[in-house]
Amino acid sequence: QAIMAQVTLWPHLFPGPHAMELISRSSGSLPAAPTLAGRGPQVKCSLVTAVVVAQRAGSGMPVGRWRPCARGSERCVLVVVSALALRQCFRPQRRFRGRPGCPLLGDCRFPRMAGIARHAAAEDGKEDVLPEPNSKPAAEKDGGKDMSKEKDMWQESEQAAKAVAKAVAKRAALQQKDAKLAAKAAAKAGAAQAKAAATRVKAVAKAAAKASAKARAKAAAGVQTASAEASGDFGLGSAVVRAVPSPHRKRKAEGQDVDSVAASRRPRAAGSRAEFAEGDVEEALPEDASAQAEALLGGRSAIAQDKAACVARAVALERRRVAATIKLLEEGNTIPFIARYRKELTGSLNEDELRRVERGLQRVDALEARRMRVALALHRREALTDPLRAALLQAAVLEEIEDLWAPFKSKKQTRAQLARERGLGPLAKLIEQVGGKSSWLAPEAVAASSVDEAKGIVSVKEALAGARDILAEKYAQSNDVKQRARAMLEPHASLSSRQRPGADADGQYKIYWNIDMPIRRVKPYQFLAVQRGEANGALKVGFEVSGEACDSFLKQLERKVQPHGAQGEGPWERELRAALSDAFKRLLRPSLEREWRRRLKELAEDDAFDTYRRNIHSKLLTPPLRLHPDWGDSSGDGPVVSVLGIDPAYRTGCKMALIASTGQVIATKVVYPHPPHIAASVPPVQAEQAAALLQELLEVGLQQSSASDAPHARLICSIGNGTASRETESWLRQHVGGTAGLPGRIAYCVVDEAGASVYSASPLAGKELPDMDVSMRGAVSIARRLLDPMAELVKIDPQSIGVGLYQHDVDHRRVVSELKAAVMDCVNSVGVDLNTASPSLLEHVAGLSAALARNIVEHRSARGPFASRAEVLAVKGVGPKAHHQAAGFLRVYGGSEPLDATPVHPESYEVAKRFMRTRESYGGHDIAALAVAWGVGAQTLSDIEAALAGTVKDPREAQPPPRIKAPGSGKRKSQGSGAVDAQESGITVDLLTPGLKLQGVVRNVVAFGAFVDIGVGHDSLLHVSQYPPTARGRADALSVNDNVEVWVQEATRSTGGGKGSAGKGADGPPSKDRWRVSLTAVEPSGLANA
């Protein structure tokens, strides 16, 4: 094959003038300019006899290398002959045995090889290159000697050349025949494999169709039964007709708001949007997707086989309890129902622990769904090989599945894809093999054959770069390489934050201007803070990895690519090292950084949601006014007959709404007790008119009592804590304190007005207060928040209640789901009066939805109050499943069944009645023994005993009551503590001094501390490091609405934006001052109290 082929030569590799002359005569001419930088010109010739001669050099030394490659329909040979071989083949300026000179092989010592060369040239159609040895010029040059012996030798050489050609042709025919047979066998094996896969898929589809048919038949039978038993049961009939085993679809059939219910259980990757197979577009999985994936993968993953163990490890709970919880959740039970009525199964897990299990289950389901999508997508692309099956089954985290899917993912054309299309794959493979058999050649010399302007490769440099791109993408997408990179680099990675030049002039993110934190030590709130700073353009956030770790990883990667050494400093090694470095810097490291960012965000969001739930829990469970120890029903100082809600403002005036103790609106007014702007004063007439309107509303409110309670009737003003709150509080205190008959009967309380404006403009407010101005609805909401916080706050989107931190920097869907779950937990922990609750409250009861809540209220309005819990089944859309989940949390007072007014679930009524008889008969008993004898859970029986004994308290009684102040009683201080009420004492923010002890109310709790309202118009920060020693380091040490006593550490003023102490809203007068007040709950040493 080498004899018959064309060759490419680099003349600079051949020493001496005769070699240059040889190539010049063979090719006709040399190029005028070099085509390879530093390598000299290249020429093409029909034959280089030096190759043949070198095969049998005088010393027998094997010299020369050739490598066949495909280029079109030709077979080309790359030939290089060493200088040593040329010296053995050619003797400059000498004659050997006086043989005639040949234009091509004038000094050749082997005439047989010269004959072969001549024959090959003749076959190639270039006889003029190798003339006959006895041609005239040669004979004349040789002195006319007898050439008969030489002629016989040339003829013998011709015969040998023909024999070689014949053998070569025969061998080529045999190879072609073998190739055809191999291709035929491969095609047959592929067809058999495809047929077997299709058979498996058909079998799975048939089994799934059979199961679906059985389910439909069973559902149809259920429809007939339900119709016969209760023809009007819309919910049950609809549920059975759909015949879908999913609990969420059953809930939809029962009238529930499936969008909100299923959103919390929809499998998806938390913290980030999961990428989906088939072009990363989310598409619905077929009903039998699980069975199909299992058939394709040859089984289920270890996680799918034991979800409970995986979730238990993630949430650090006992597997048995987690397994029971998962089973209950998959059966369609709600978290409040499981926490209250399935304690024996779950080991008395509380709502927070159950929510953690649910979150872990969602992630496991998302992981398995992703595994199924990738398996099905790979099968459709006929790329699901046995190694991929095994790797997919063993993948334990989402990143591993994404690593397996990455090479097949539909994406924009990459540099590597473009290089493959240009035919640079063989060159990339050669670089990966460190040159292979051409390792002693320069990469540039080899890459020259890949230069093709028609394909867009105009230089050797571009060819090598494209080959490196192919290798870079190959190793960056390798699952094994990524796993090794995670293990080696993550321990040495750190989160870096730097200030952008000229940004953040007011120093809002000053503490993050220059920080480097190991990613394993980054706290959730720190990541959310730098993420917001990055979004605002104030910070430049990235990840840093130590240079030693990067170098160590690259060396290990080189050893993986070339396990047998070959890590030298040659040109091929440099090309390979450059490809690996590019894979790490351009592809692998950015991928790891995105993964680290996604993981940090997921952890930060989990922590943020936990904080949201705790704050929502504290805010919604604020005791209603009737439970207040001094102003509630049990105080004994007279009933509170009405509440006056005040929405403070400067320019637009203070909106006032007087409501009765039942929440009904009595009267509304707008007064203007404050100047419209700074440096202005209130005209006397305007001040008198405002005082007169306030006095009128107070008198009307006190007249709402009965004649017997009139002398002792009391009224409380509820003041919003927004714009002009401090000034309104001072004005109200002066008026009440200076008006005869009001001190002692009139009090006020500052409440959080977050979300009041959102409620005012909502459709619900328009339905409840249709004839009232939007601005006045906010005052009504502020008054009702003091009367019954839970009943009013459930009407507002939980995101607008104003608790937590960085609410707009986390996943919006998760925020909605988590906060709704928190509201549901609070509502169900208290219970709902079925005959008085509003639709906004009923929709948060376990098992009910907004649609069912409206149906219940409409049924109640049309047919009167419910006499028992069982009557709820008559409501349109309420089926047995919804009733079973909700019944225990609905209260019916004064109905036909006394147990309906207790937390006892209807499923336990028989046990409860039996327990009452036993208690009356024997007077005492052992709960555990009784539970065993009756076959019920001990915890369930204990809860029944507490409910019947009336010892189950409202959870709101355990929360701190709101601070209610009575004007005219002097400066209030804590008993013997010396803490000052800054508002009543007239202390403003500019009068704060270190060591001053003040009373405060916690308004918000975050991971790094609590924001406390100390009455100076600016919320102050109590850092977690300044908590009392007994509570330091605990995230739940403080709660929203807690009354605290604190000392001032520092109060500093900054300029450049924000509102002043006058207010926080757009209505307030502008101010350039912004104060930062830091507090401590640890008494400072050496500082006297002011």
Side-chain angles (χ1 to χ4, degrees):
Q1 290 178 348
I3 294 172
M4 303 299 297
Q6 284 192 340
V7 297
T8 302
L9 285 178
W10 287 268
H12 79 282
L13 297 175
F14 295 83
H18 288 269
M20 298 294 292
E21 183 180 2
L22 164 69
I23 299 173
S24 176
R25 290 177 182 176
S26 177
S27 62
S29 62
L30 290 175
T35 58
L36 289 177
R39 294 297 182 184
Q42 67 177 1
V43 297
K44 293 184 179 295
C45 55
S46 61
L47 182 67
V48 179
T49 54
V51 178
V52 183
V53 174
Q55 301 297 323
R56 303 291 181 183
S59 61
M61 180 181 296
V63 293
R65 298 185 181 182
W66 61 277
R67 178 182 180 84
C69 60
R71 180 178 297 172
S73 60
E74 300 179 69
R75 295 286 295 177
C76 301
V77 179
L78 179 63
V79 181
V80 177
V81 182
S82 68
L84 177 61
L86 289 176
R87 291 192 183 96
Q88 293 174 349
C89 297
F90 298 96
R91 299 296 178 89
Q93 301 178 357
R94 288 184 59 184
R95 295 286 183 183
F96 184 71
R97 295 184 181 179
R99 288 177 182 156
C102 175
L104 186 60
L105 298 173
D107 292 333
C108 182
R109 294 182 294 173
F110 299 92
R112 183 185 298 274
M113 298 304 171
I116 296 175
R118 188 202 60 75
H119 177 79
E123 291 291 332
D124 214 18
K126 298 181 180 180
E127 294 84 357
D128 56 329
V129 177
L130 293 175
E132 292 293 339
N134 58 351
S135 60
K136 183 178 181 180
E140 292 178 353
K141 183 177 180 181
D142 217 28
K145 296 181 180 180
D146 186 10
M147 303 295 295
S148 59
K149 293 184 178 180
E150 294 292 338
K151 184 175 182 180
D152 293 340
M153 294 177 66
W154 285 112
Q155 291 176 354
E156 183 181 354
S157 300
E158 290 178 5
Q159 294 175 0
K162 291 179 180 179
V164 170
K166 185 176 180 180
V168 168
K170 184 176 180 180
R171 184 177 181 182
L174 292 175
Q175 290 179 347
Q176 186 177 6
K177 184 177 180 180
D178 292 342
K180 289 182 178 179
L181 292 175
K184 186 176 181 180
K188 187 176 181 180
Q193 186 177 5
K195 184 177 180 180
T199 303
R200 288 197 303 268
V201 173
K202 286 181 180 179
V204 171
K206 185 177 180 180
K210 187 176 180 180
S212 180
K214 288 183 178 180
R216 285 195 296 269
K218 186 176 180 180
V223 170
Q224 297 175 0
T225 303
S227 300
E229 293 180 355
S231 58
D233 191 352
F234 174 81
L236 181 60
S238 178
V240 178
V241 168
R242 293 183 183 273
V244 178
S246 170
H248 309 303
R249 298 193 181 182
K250 290 182 180 180
R251 293 181 186 180
K252 180 176 181 180
E254 293 170 357
Q256 297 188 45
D257 187 359
V258 176
D259 291 337
S260 61
V261 175
S264 62
R265 294 282 294 119
R266 184 181 297 116
R268 64 184 299 269
S272 69
R273 183 182 65 86
E275 295 176 344
F276 293 90
E278 295 301 328
D280 296 341
V281 177
E282 182 175 6
E283 56 184 14
L285 285 170
E287 293 184 2
D288 60 340
S290 179
Q292 289 186 28
E294 183 177 347
L296 293 174
L297 296 177
R300 294 193 302 166
S301 66
I303 294 177
Q305 292 175 13
D306 194 354
K307 291 183 180 180
C310 181
V311 176
R313 288 192 299 268
V315 300
L317 291 173
E318 186 181 354
R319 183 194 175 282
R320 176 185 61 82
R321 303 162 75 186
V322 172
T325 302
I326 291 176
K327 182 178 179 181
L328 291 170
L329 288 173
E330 291 179 342
E331 290 174 355
N333 295 287
T334 60
I335 294 292
F337 178 83
I338 297 173
R340 177 70 68 84
Y341 301 113
R342 294 296 181 263
K343 293 181 179 180
E344 287 81 10
L345 295 177
T346 65
S348 298
L349 294 178
N350 58 34
E351 286 86 350
D352 290 339
E353 293 170 330
L354 291 173
R355 294 289 177 193
R356 285 164 48 201
V357 173
E358 183 184 38
R359 185 187 299 169
L361 178 60
Q362 290 173 4
R363 288 177 177 161
V364 168
D365 289 343
L367 179 67
E368 292 304 310
R370 183 58 175 164
R371 195 193 311 274
M372 287 188 292
R373 290 180 187 277
V374 171
L376 295 175
L378 290 175
H379 173 67
R380 285 192 290 269
R381 298 188 181 196
E382 299 182 355
L384 189 59
T385 61
D386 290 339
L388 271 178
R389 287 189 180 93
L392 272 176
L393 284 175
Q394 294 173 3
V397 294
L398 186 63
E399 286 78 10
E400 295 180 4
I401 297 178
E402 294 303 330
D403 293 345
L404 296 173
W405 170 244
F408 308 95
K409 185 188 302 182
S410 299
K411 49 184 176 290
K412 295 181 180 179
Q413 189 177 46
T414 63
R415 288 161 49 175
Q417 289 175 341
L418 183 60
R420 291 190 190 95
E421 293 175 0
R422 292 176 174 177
L424 295 176
L427 181 58
K429 187 174 182 181
L430 200 61
I431 293 176
E432 186 178 14
Q433 296 173 352
V434 196
K437 295 182 179 180
S438 301
S439 59
W440 55 280
L441 270 179
E444 292 83 359
V446 180
S449 61
S450 300
V451 176
D452 190 346
E453 294 186 2
K455 295 182 179 180
I457 308 175
V458 298
S459 66
V460 173
K461 184 177 180 181
E462 289 187 8
L464 290 173
R468 291 195 300 268
D469 289 339
I470 294 175
L471 291 179
E473 184 177 273
K474 174 183 177 180
Y475 287 106
Q477 292 180 350
S478 170
N479 183 36
D480 183 51
V481 171
K482 281 193 173 183
Q483 292 291 347
R484 186 173 302 186
R486 291 188 186 102
M488 294 187 63
L489 301 181
E490 188 170 325
H492 304 281
S494 61
L495 178 67
S496 173
S497 175
R498 300 288 185 270
Q499 180 192 15
R500 290 189 179 274
D504 196 21
D506 57 350
Q508 182 179 0
Y509 302 97
K510 186 175 182 179
I511 60 176
Y512 300 108
W513 280 359
N514 188 16
I515 62 169
D516 290 285
M517 297 176 289
I519 58 175
R520 295 185 176 183
R521 297 177 58 186
V522 176
K523 297 179 180 178
Y525 68 86
Q526 292 174 330
F527 179 78
L528 291 177
V530 298
Q531 182 179 250
R532 172 173 286 187
E534 182 183 34
N536 293 339
L539 300 175
K540 183 178 180 180
V541 182
F543 292 88
E544 299 292 339
V545 183
S546 65
E548 294 81 0
C550 295
D551 294 341
S552 177
F553 170 72
L554 285 174
K555 289 180 181 178
Q556 282 207 13
L557 186 57
E558 291 177 22
R559 286 194 291 269
K560 171 182 172 58
V561 177
Q562 292 293 323
H564 303 296
Q567 289 104 28
E569 296 297 331
W572 290 102
E573 286 80 0
R574 287 194 294 270
E575 291 293 332
L576 178 60
R577 193 173 294 112
L580 298 179
S581 178
D582 180 53
F584 173 69
K585 295 178 180 178
R586 181 172 60 87
L587 300 174
L588 187 56
R589 180 167 174 173
S591 174
L592 290 177
E593 291 181 358
R594 290 191 295 270
E595 182 180 315
W596 294 336
R597 183 183 286 263
R598 184 169 59 248
R599 191 186 311 161
L600 287 175
K601 183 177 181 181
E602 181 179 299
L603 295 175
E605 288 185 350
D606 287 349
D607 183 80
F609 295 143
D610 292 339
T611 302
Y612 295 162
R613 282 205 309 272
R614 285 195 299 268
N615 291 344
I616 287 285
H617 186 273
S618 299
K619 206 154 193 175
L620 291 181
L621 294 184
T622 300
L625 187 59
R626 62 181 178 82
L627 296 179
H628 197 280
D630 299 327
W631 295 84
D633 297 343
S634 60
S635 62
D637 295 333
V640 176
V641 295
S642 58
V643 176
L644 179 63
I646 304 176
D647 186 5
Y650 289 102
R651 180 178 52 84
T652 58
C654 296
K655 277 70 69 178
M656 297 186 177
L658 182 68
I659 65 172
S661 58
T662 59
Q664 182 180 2
V665 179
I666 300 173
T668 60
K669 298 285 183 182
V670 180
V671 299
Y672 298 87
H674 311 306
H677 55 82
I678 296 177
S681 59
V682 180
V685 176
Q686 180 179 329
E688 293 177 1
Q689 184 180 8
L693 291 175
L694 174 61
Q695 182 64 26
E696 179 183 347
L697 286 176
L698 295 177
E699 292 177 355
V700 171
L702 292 174
Q703 294 173 3
Q704 299 302 310
S705 62
S706 61
S708 59
D709 294 332
H712 307 288
R714 296 183 294 177
L715 181 146
I716 300 179
C717 299
S718 179
I719 305 174
N721 68 338
T723 303
S725 174
R726 178 181 172 87
E727 290 76 5
T728 302
E729 180 182 351
S730 177
W731 169 68
L732 179 65
R733 186 174 60 253
Q734 292 175 5
H735 177 82
V736 173
T739 303
L742 293 184
R745 301 184 64 189
I746 305 296
Y748 69 89
C749 178
V750 178
V751 301
D752 191 353
E753 67 174 26
S757 59
V758 175
Y759 166 77
S760 300
S762 67
L764 178 60
K767 186 176 181 179
E768 291 182 346
L769 307 168
D771 300 328
M772 187 174 293
D773 183 72
V774 173
S775 61
M776 191 60 68
R777 295 172 185 168
V780 176
S781 178
I782 291 173
R784 289 175 175 174
R785 291 185 186 200
L786 179 63
L787 195 64
D788 191 345
M790 177 182 290
E792 187 63 24
L793 291 176
V794 294
K795 303 175 183 178
I796 303 170
D797 183 357
Q799 290 180 269
S800 302
I801 294 180
V803 294
L805 193 66
Y806 305 114
Q807 294 187 24
H808 303 289
D809 299 328
V810 296
D811 186 354
H812 176 72
R813 289 194 294 179
R814 286 194 66 194
V815 169
V816 173
S817 174
E818 295 279 353
L819 295 185
K820 283 187 175 181
V823 174
M824 177 184 288
D825 292 342
C826 293
V827 171
N828 289 279
S829 66
V830 174
V832 173
D833 188 340
L834 184 59
N835 288 319
T836 61
S838 65
S840 302
L841 197 60
L842 284 170
E843 70 177 74
H844 293 289
V845 174
L848 301 184
S849 65
L852 292 181
R854 290 192 296 270
N855 293 346
I856 290 174
V857 174
E858 292 174 0
H859 185 280
R860 186 177 66 197
S861 300
R863 305 187 183 183
F866 292 95
S868 67
R869 289 169 170 170
E871 292 185 2
V872 178
L873 282 169
V875 176
K876 178 182 177 181
V878 178
K881 184 69 174 181
H883 179 265
H884 186 72
Q885 296 291 312
F889 307 105
L890 301 174
R891 307 285 188 269
V892 178
Y893 299 99
S896 58
E897 175 56 69
L899 291 176
D900 287 346
T902 68
V904 178
H905 196 277
E907 66 182 5
S908 302
Y909 278 3
E910 293 299 326
V911 176
K913 294 175 181 179
R914 185 177 181 183
F915 180 80
M916 287 189 291
R917 293 193 298 267
T918 303
R919 181 179 57 180
E920 294 172 358
S921 302
Y922 300 100
H925 46 266
D926 183 357
I927 292 294
L930 209 57
V932 172
W934 291 354
V936 297
Q939 188 64 53
T940 299
L941 193 57
S942 179
D943 290 344
I944 292 174
E945 179 189 26
L948 296 177
T951 58
V952 178
K953 294 184 178 181
D954 191 324
R956 295 175 292 183
E957 296 180 15
Q959 300 295 320
R963 291 180 61 189
I964 297 179
K965 306 176 185 179
S969 60
K971 296 179 181 180
R972 292 194 55 184
K973 295 184 180 181
S974 300
Q975 298 178 359
S977 66
V980 178
D981 187 317
Q983 174 64 26
E984 293 184 357
S985 302
I987 299 175
T988 58
V989 66
D990 54 334
L991 296 178
L992 295 178
T993 58
L996 181 62
K997 188 176 183 180
L998 299 173
Q999 297 177 1
V1001 179
V1002 177
R1003 294 300 182 194
N1004 194 8
V1005 178
V1006 292
F1008 55 85
F1011 291 96
V1012 182
D1013 181 5
I1014 56 175
V1016 296
H1018 296 264
D1019 280 353
S1020 309
L1021 175 62
L1022 178 62
H1023 195 267
V1024 67
S1025 62
Q1026 301 301 321
Y1027 281 7
T1030 56
R1032 196 169 299 168
R1034 290 170 44 204
D1036 57 347
L1038 293 178
S1039 301
V1040 174
N1041 293 332
D1042 280 356
N1043 298 318
V1044 295
E1045 296 178 357
V1046 293
W1047 287 266
V1048 177
Q1049 272 192 326
E1050 185 183 16
T1052 57
R1053 180 190 316 193
S1054 62
T1055 59
K1059 294 285 180 184
S1061 61
K1064 306 172 185 176
D1067 184 72
S1071 172
K1072 294 184 179 180
D1073 294 339
R1074 184 172 61 185
W1075 288 82
R1076 292 184 177 178
V1077 182
S1078 58
L1079 307 173
T1080 178
V1082 181
E1083 183 175 4
S1085 59
L1087 292 176
N1089 187 33

